[in-house]
Amino acid sequence: MVNRQFVLASRPVGMPKESDLRMVETPVPALRDGEVLLRALYLSVDPYMRGRMNAAKSYAPSVEIGELMVGGGVARVVESKNLGYEVGDVVNLQMGWQEYAVSNGEGLRKVDPNIAPVSTALGVLGMPGLTAYFGLLEVCGVNAGETVVVSAAAGAVGSVVGQIAKIKGCRAVGIAGGPEKTSYVTEECGFDAALDYKAATDYPAAIKELCPGGVDVYFDNVGGPITDAVLANLNARARIAICGQIAHANDTQPSMGPRMWRHILVARAKVQGFLVFDYAGRYGSALEQLGQWVRSGQIKYHEDIVQGFENMPRALIGLFRGENLGKRIVKI
Amino acid sequence: MVNRQFVLASRPVGMPKESDLRMVETPVPALRDGEVLLRALYLSVDPYMRGRMNAAKSYAPSVEIGELMVGGGVARVVESKNLGYEVGDVVNLQMGWQEYAVSNGEGLRKVDPNIAPVSTALGVLGMPGLTAYFGLLEVCGVNAGETVVVSAAAGAVGSVVGQIAKIKGCRAVGIAGGPEKTSYVTEECGFDAALDYKAATDYPAAIKELCPGGVDVYFDNVGGPITDAVLANLNARARIAICGQIAHANDTQPSMGPRMWRHILVARAKVQGFLVFDYAGRYGSALEQLGQWVRSGQIKYHEDIVQGFENMPRALIGLFRGENLGKRIVKI
């Protein structure tokens, strides 16, 4: 049986090209005792993957040239020599960009199809949902009545951030690109307001208009001039979580902007970079809560599904063009 | 009896001019029951005063045109109708830029001349020392063996930050302008290393050389390119206290620089703007500890004394030129 994989062919300079990833075919190895064979149902593309394609030091090791691209997936057990798994079980794991994976069970999480479609294990009930949950509730902390601003608000993380903020009694303001996304954010996800940064010219004034009482919490997925504008509108004791900087993912030289630390000082604000993995010990209870909110309809989600394994590179590249609404996943 | 005062004559644009402050003479009012008459011994000039001269909203109200300039002082009781104070007592208070002040006792702190010279109540045993203490130990938190970098290291706050870091078993690295200051920092204050930013060209490389193990804690008094360089050398879980941004005190337009939030994200760093006033309830125990360190010689300090009340404006302006070594105070 043949396994198709994508390996890193070359390190991208700026925006990745499809040719930076190469499809290879390898045989699926025979199972040993204790192992399961998994067939991918859905694979994830996420902005963090761009960082792994660089040689530069980051919080996680780089993918080496010729190595399997990293990433999460939802897969079905198609063969099992592990007593903990039966054929047909659906699991979530870091399986990389490939159609089949062999696992000894380590790092697998069973996905219950009765809670929600199993694809949600890559989105609202997976890493992006957990990132929103811990970033908003633990890194920032929110109090009812506060104003919460989130960038990339129509994305997998941002859309959940605003909805949790609403559940907690906050005013939620999203920033997104284009009317389709801002409508999604306000009309589907129930945010109080949204800024279309593609239509705005004076970002600080636009933020001020949407947040007349100032900004108490900022969940930043983007960086760049949008973040500068939010920082110019901070309230005293504001909290800022830096979750991503997608505006800078493909920078080939440092992005220049106004130095904003005086605003952080004057507001006595707290800024923190965080990774969801720091909260790994508490995923279980967080997923339970997120699952309740999804089932009750208090959290809505949208999946942006790309068909076919062969389209993974272009699915990833599209994230940096802002193509996706909600969580982009590839159906295998 | 005549009281000389400095009032704000005009709001500075950029670097303050002496003419932005005007000396006026007013009669010293007669005391009412419960009041004391205070004669200034030493008055303080501090970088924060520049912000108060602006109309712009900040953490504290602006000084209005024609109003007495704000500031701390050490004064002697020369007349008392308050049972708590005797003639000859020395006190620390926010008395503003004037030779005499009348107080009902509120906000006065008695200064014990047996602990250290009373002028230290404006420096190492006053607001700057407390700022160093709480900023390093509470905002940042330090562990033995960590590398602590402080900017404006030869200043009133920075010199104490590095010495407390040494007491706590850290490696202390200071950044200051010119060989006199860097020598002071390493030879008098016992820092492990100091960077003369006026002599350096490649700041990030210079920081890397002095902090080969990376930066765990950064106490920022300055901002600007020096701060950018430190942020490029952060270790995982670095903590940054923003205490001041003197490089930007006189900016007339936003200072531009590379956007550094990606570094904060990758390091999972925490950045916090703070004011010492947030710790007002704990000044007593902190001053006791600082006093012990000063008496034991574990904390050294330098006072940069300017003679004469009439020289207060130029004493303040000199801070922004980096004239001072240690705490600048004006002897009345």
Side-chain angles (χ1 to χ4, degrees), chain A residues 16 18 23 55 141 176 183 195 215 222 255 299:
Chain A
E18 290 190 45
M23 197 193 288
S183 296
L195 168 64
V215 175
V222 172
S255 165
I299 289 186

Side-chain angles (χ1 to χ4, degrees), chain A residues 25-243:
Chain A
E25 299 193 348
T26 58
V28 173
L31 289 194
R32 293 176 295 189
D33 275 352
E35 290 182 338
V36 291
L37 178 64
L38 302 163
R39 183 166 59 76
L41 301 174
Y42 299 96
L43 293 176
S44 190
V45 287
D46 300 279
Y48 78 82
M49 292 170 175
R50 179 63 186 82
R52 303 291 178 90
M53 299 168 88
N54 291 336
K57 164 194 135 169
S58 186
Y59 49 80
S62 301
V63 176
E64 298 299 327
I65 301 288
E67 250 184 21
L68 181 67
M69 258 302 284
V70 294
V74 168
R76 190 184 301 281
V77 175
V78 291
E79 195 185 335
S80 179
K81 294 190 172 178
N82 182 310
L83 294 175
Y85 296 91
E86 292 179 13
V87 170
D89 282 352
V90 177
V91 296
N92 174 215
L93 76 161
Q94 283 298 112
M95 70 182 289
W97 289 27
Q98 57 183 346
E99 291 179 301
Y100 290 93
V102 171
S103 166
N104 63 6
E106 214 174 292
L108 296 196
R109 179 171 70 84
K110 282 195 194 177
V111 177
D112 180 353
N114 297 314
I115 292 175
V118 296
S119 56
T120 58
L122 300 178
V124 63
L125 298 182
M127 192 264 287
L130 291 165
T131 300
Y133 182 93
F134 289 110
L136 186 67
L137 299 179
E138 296 291 323
V139 177
C140 295
V142 292
N143 304 300
E146 289 189 319
T147 295
V148 174
V149 176
V150 56
S151 53
V157 175
S159 58
V160 178
V161 168
Q163 292 180 86
I164 297 177
K166 289 303 297 176
I167 290 169
K168 296 297 180 184
C170 299
R171 174 174 169 80
V173 176
I175 305 171
E180 186 198 8
K181 289 184 179 176
T182 54
S183 296
Y184 170 68
V185 156
T186 52
E187 279 156 47
E188 289 297 309
C189 300
F191 285 44
D192 296 283
L195 168 64
D196 176 0
Y197 73 84
K198 291 185 177 172
T201 49
D202 183 343
Y203 291 172
I207 296 291
K208 189 168 193 174
E209 193 185 326
L210 295 183
C211 307
V215 175
D216 298 301
V217 166
Y218 178 44
F219 191 109
D220 188 17
N221 294 305
V222 172
I226 287 170
T227 290
D228 302 339
V230 176
L231 295 185
N233 285 281
L234 295 181
N235 283 338
R237 317 265 180 204
R239 286 89 64 204
I240 298 165
I242 310 180
C243 172

Side-chain angles (χ1 to χ4, degrees), chain A residues 130 133-134 137-139 276-290:
Chain A
L130 291 165
Y133 182 93
F134 289 110
L137 299 179
E138 296 291 323
V139 177
V276 69
F277 310 109
D278 293 336
Y279 298 91
R282 295 165 58 193
Y283 283 178
S285 58
L287 286 172
E288 198 172 316
Q289 176 65 81
L290 286 164

